[in-house]
Amino acid sequence: MSFITFGEIMMRLTPSNYSKKINSSSSFNVDYAGSESNVASSLGVLGNKVSFVTKLPENQLGDAAIRSLRAYGIDTNNILRGGHRIGTYIIELGASIRPSSVIYDRKNSSFSEIENDEFKWENILKDKKWIFLSGITPVLSKQCAEETIKVSEIARKLGVKVAFDMNYRRSLWKDPADARKIFDKILVNTDLLFGNADVLKDVYNMNPTSSSRLDITKETAHMASAKFGIKHIAFTIREHSSASVNKVSGFFLSNSRYYSSKIIEVAITDRFGTGDAFAAAFLHGIIQKWNDKKVIDFATAAFALKHTIQGDQHTSSEKEIISIMKGHISGHVLR
């Protein structure tokens, strides 16, 4: 088993008519997703051995979430059952000048109420190469924060590499200082940092003096590397034209050398899960032992391609992602 991810999988509700607002919708599509499970599903689709660790209620919704994970080839043997409810989030997809929005309903979920020592991390991490953690998990409860810190420490002790995506959500944290205190304890154990320049500005008040998005990202990555002592940092770059059209690219700082991808303009079907697709594709490239430039180009292609797929999950194959990476972005019918 190469990868393990840890976090909350939720029930995702989206208006059945994607163009409708939540307050005018009478029917919703149901899916199961979350940052860490999204990374796991993408890794599974790309052919990697991956395990997802979480806690779900012992009811039909918990069963459905587990079935959804298994459909992507994810090992679910380390999922605990208990508690009373599954976390939920409701998504309204934006268009043109109307932004997308999210309503979270996660309080008192089974995962948020995990208890100390429920997860036997030494056994779970045995023979793993990487664990993916997210900055979303620590905000869910005091124990979730302590568990995320603890697993990062145990992973480091066991020689399992830690990939950490800051994933700062303003709507969930009361104050950036609260996130900073917890992130600091995870970052000391982090081998690969995911995120973007805006997150570092929000949480750590890093204010680069550059003007272009690439130069801002480059400067921020160097600042983060110096502050946290992390040699490998992979950031996404996004330029908003509207809720319907973005320009996206990727940046990788590796041992003081940097690599940037081409900019890809995308018409957006669903932008949720795009950063998770980037992280999963990046980790896939690392496990394949590709060179640094190919890794960031592949991750960026996956990042761009996910914008065209409904739902949180990125279901594109390695071949399809590589086709985008090679510049085949005209959208011509394949016959």
Side-chain angles (χ1 to χ4, degrees):
M1 192 70 67
S2 298
F3 298 103
I4 186 168
T5 71
F6 169 63
E8 181 172 40
I9 184 170
M10 297 172 288
M11 182 167 62
R12 166 178 157 155
L13 301 176
T14 314
S16 299
N17 182 335
Y18 265 47
S19 64
K20 279 196 169 185
K21 289 175 62 61
I22 292 170
N23 62 16
S24 60
S25 297
S26 58
S27 62
F28 292 79
N29 292 335
V30 179
D31 197 0
Y32 297 89
S35 179
E36 302 85 359
S37 64
N38 294 346
V39 171
S41 62
S42 289
L43 285 168
V45 168
L46 291 171
N48 298 281
K49 293 181 178 180
V50 57
S51 175
F52 179 58
V53 181
T54 194
K55 186 174 183 178
L56 286 164
E58 189 76 66
N59 60 29
Q60 290 190 58
L61 294 177
D63 295 342
I66 289 174
R67 279 199 304 273
S68 75
L69 293 165
R70 289 174 178 164
Y72 298 104
I74 298 168
D75 173 40
T76 59
N77 290 328
N78 292 309
I79 293 179
L80 300 179
R81 306 299 295 272
H84 301 290
R85 65 183 298 264
I86 187 171
T88 304
Y89 66 122
I90 305 96
I91 286 177
E92 180 177 294
L93 294 173
S96 186
I97 61 173
R98 177 171 59 86
S100 296
S101 62
V102 181
I103 297 173
Y104 288 108
D105 180 18
R106 311 176 75 158
K107 190 174 182 180
N108 303 127
S109 68
S110 294
F111 184 77
S112 71
E113 295 181 344
I114 59 174
E115 298 177 3
N116 188 35
D117 294 331
E118 273 198 293
F119 298 103
K120 309 305 178 185
W121 288 117
E122 283 79 3
N123 293 331
I124 294 172
L125 290 169
K126 186 178 180 181
D127 299 324
K128 305 300 189 299
K129 294 182 179 179
W130 284 90
I131 182 167
F132 175 85
L133 303 173
S134 162
I136 298 173
T137 299
V139 75
L140 301 180
S141 69
K142 183 176 182 293
Q143 185 56 42
C144 281
E146 292 177 359
E147 204 70 25
T148 308
I149 294 166
K150 179 167 74 173
V151 69
S152 74
E153 293 171 345
I154 294 173
R156 188 172 185 85
K157 181 179 70 175
L158 296 178
V160 178
K161 292 186 176 181
V162 175
F164 178 54
D165 190 335
M166 284 193 176
N167 256 339
Y168 179 72
R169 298 288 187 264
R170 296 184 187 92
S171 62
L172 296 178
W173 292 96
K174 292 181 180 179
D175 191 293
D178 297 332
R180 206 158 47 237
K181 292 174 185 176
I182 297 169
F183 289 3
D184 282 349
K185 296 177 181 179
I186 300 169
L187 288 165
V188 296
N189 301 308
T190 296
D191 298 281
L192 171 61
L193 177 63
F194 290 113
N196 57 60
D198 292 337
V199 170
L200 272 297
K201 181 179 180 180
D202 286 345
V203 180
Y204 286 95
N205 199 31
M206 292 186 182
N207 291 294
T209 58
S210 302
S211 55
S212 75
R213 290 298 296 172
L214 175 59
D215 287 341
I216 288 171
T217 301
K218 179 181 176 181
E219 189 177 343
T220 302
H222 280 288
M223 292 166 70
S225 180
K227 180 175 178 61
F228 306 127
I230 299 174
K231 296 181 179 179
H232 299 96
I233 297 176
F235 281 174
T236 56
I237 305 173
R238 182 187 299 276
E239 296 180 51
H240 289 265
S241 299
S242 69
S244 301
V245 178
N246 284 182
K247 292 180 180 179
V248 299
S249 56
F251 175 89
F252 181 30
L253 178 65
S254 176
N255 292 314
S256 299
R257 297 189 65 183
Y258 74 90
Y259 306 85
S260 57
S261 73
K262 292 180 180 178
I263 297 172
I264 304 174
E265 184 173 273
V266 290
I268 300 171
T269 298
D270 188 332
R271 65 156 290 180
F272 292 90
T274 54
D276 305 323
F278 175 87
F282 196 97
L283 289 167
H284 176 75
I286 288 177
I287 213 73
Q288 297 300 314
K289 298 182 179 180
W290 293 340
N291 64 56
D292 290 342
K293 184 65 170 70
K294 183 175 180 180
V295 170
I296 192 60
D297 286 344
F298 182 79
T300 301
F303 177 45
L305 191 54
K306 168 58 192 74
H307 286 77
T308 69
I309 299 172
Q310 289 185 354
D312 270 64
Q313 314 302 330
H314 188 205
T315 54
S316 299
S317 67
E318 180 184 288
K319 181 180 179 181
E320 290 170 323
I321 297 170
I322 287 177
S323 178
I324 299 300
M325 184 181 78
K326 290 182 176 179
H328 301 148
I329 57 174
S330 64
H332 286 159
V333 176
L334 300 177
R335 299 184 186 274

